């Protein structure tokens, strides 16, 4: 119950961003909590528990997408497809609409960084990529969002000394 209170929203949001379906995200939330309980012995002390939980969530969600894809009548490319957003009254609709321009991988990275507050190193651990790759992909995703939504990029006019490494 304590894990649900601490991480339930983060697990649900991560699952939702990956699947695009509220019902799937709810199932993944439950499956993730069960899996964490069963596999707690695999957690490595002195690592970030939040990143570990979100890694488990990510794998569970990706498995659900693969299973759903296999059972679909038409093939679905999970890297390119954008699932139908939830009901207009859903609290995640605004987030979904804002991030719709991004690929599923870019959405996931942006949500981990901005919504869950993970560092680039924690994102790298969660996605199993290098920290440099996490930084580069995040920057590209943010630049894509800015361009699509007509927001000027503050780093394009700043001098090198004015840039922030960890925006």
């Amino acid at each position: 119950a304590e894990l649900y209170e601490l991480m339930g929203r983060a697990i649900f949001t991560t699952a939702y961003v990956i699947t695009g379906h509220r019902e799937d995200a709810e199932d993944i939330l439950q499956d993730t909590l069960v899996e964490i309980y069963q596999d707690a012995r695999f957690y490595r002390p002195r690592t970030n528990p939040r990143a570990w939980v979100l890694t488990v969530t990510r794998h569970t969600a990706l498995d659900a997408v693969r299973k759903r894809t296999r059972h679909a009548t038409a093939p679905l490319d999970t890297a390119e497809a954008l699932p139908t957003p939830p009901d207009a009254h859903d609290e995640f609709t605004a987030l979904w609409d804002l991030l719709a321009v991004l690929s599923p991988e870019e959405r996931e990275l942006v949500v981990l960084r901005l919504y869950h507050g993970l560092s680039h190193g924690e994102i790298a651990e969660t996605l199993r990529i290098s920290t440099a790759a996490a930084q580069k992909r995040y920057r590209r995703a943010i630049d894509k969002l800015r361009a699509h939504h007509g927001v000027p990029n503050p780093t394009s006019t700043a001098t090198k000394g004015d840039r922030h490494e960890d925006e």
Side-chain angles (χ1 to χ4, degrees):
E2 187 176 331
L3 180 61
Y4 176 81
E5 289 176 22
L6 292 172
M7 293 292 300
R9 189 173 185 85
I11 292 168
F12 177 85
T13 304
T14 301
Y16 180 78
V17 165
I18 293 170
T19 66
H21 299 280
R22 182 178 189 82
E23 297 80 17
D24 289 344
E26 290 169 351
D27 291 342
I28 290 163
L29 169 59
Q30 184 175 3
D31 293 347
T32 299
L33 292 172
V34 169
E35 190 170 336
I36 288 168
Y37 176 76
Q38 292 173 340
D39 293 341
R41 67 187 179 281
F42 295 115
Y43 171 71
R44 294 183 322 241
R46 291 189 220 84
T47 61
N48 183 328
R50 184 176 181 85
W52 181 72
V53 167
L54 293 175
T55 299
V56 172
T57 303
R58 179 176 187 266
H59 291 294
T60 305
L62 290 173
D63 286 345
V65 168
R66 284 186 204 105
K67 286 177 188 170
R68 183 179 63 215
T69 301
R70 269 186 259 142
H71 297 297
T73 54
L76 175 66
D77 182 355
T78 58
E80 296 298 325
L82 185 62
T84 306
D87 169 351
H89 299 292
D90 193 294
E91 65 183 279
F92 294 100
T93 302
L95 176 64
W96 188 262
D97 289 345
L98 180 68
L99 300 179
V101 67
L102 301 177
S103 72
E105 293 82 9
E106 291 168 331
R107 281 194 306 268
E108 182 179 10
L109 198 139
V110 169
V111 166
L112 289 172
R113 178 77 175 131
L114 297 179
Y115 191 80
H116 298 309
L118 296 185
S119 70
H120 291 295
E122 292 166 336
I123 292 169
E125 181 182 334
T126 300
L127 301 180
R128 296 184 180 184
I129 59 176
S130 70
T131 301
Q135 290 171 326
K136 184 180 278 188
R137 292 176 190 178
Y138 172 76
R139 175 58 45 214
R140 283 189 201 141
I142 294 299
D143 288 347
K144 191 176 191 179
L145 284 171
R146 283 186 175 127
H148 180 78
H149 294 289
V151 177
N153 186 344
T155 60
S156 64
T157 58
T159 63
K160 268 192 166 179
D162 293 331
R163 289 184 139 189
H164 296 286
E165 288 295 316
D166 205 28
E167 273 186 13

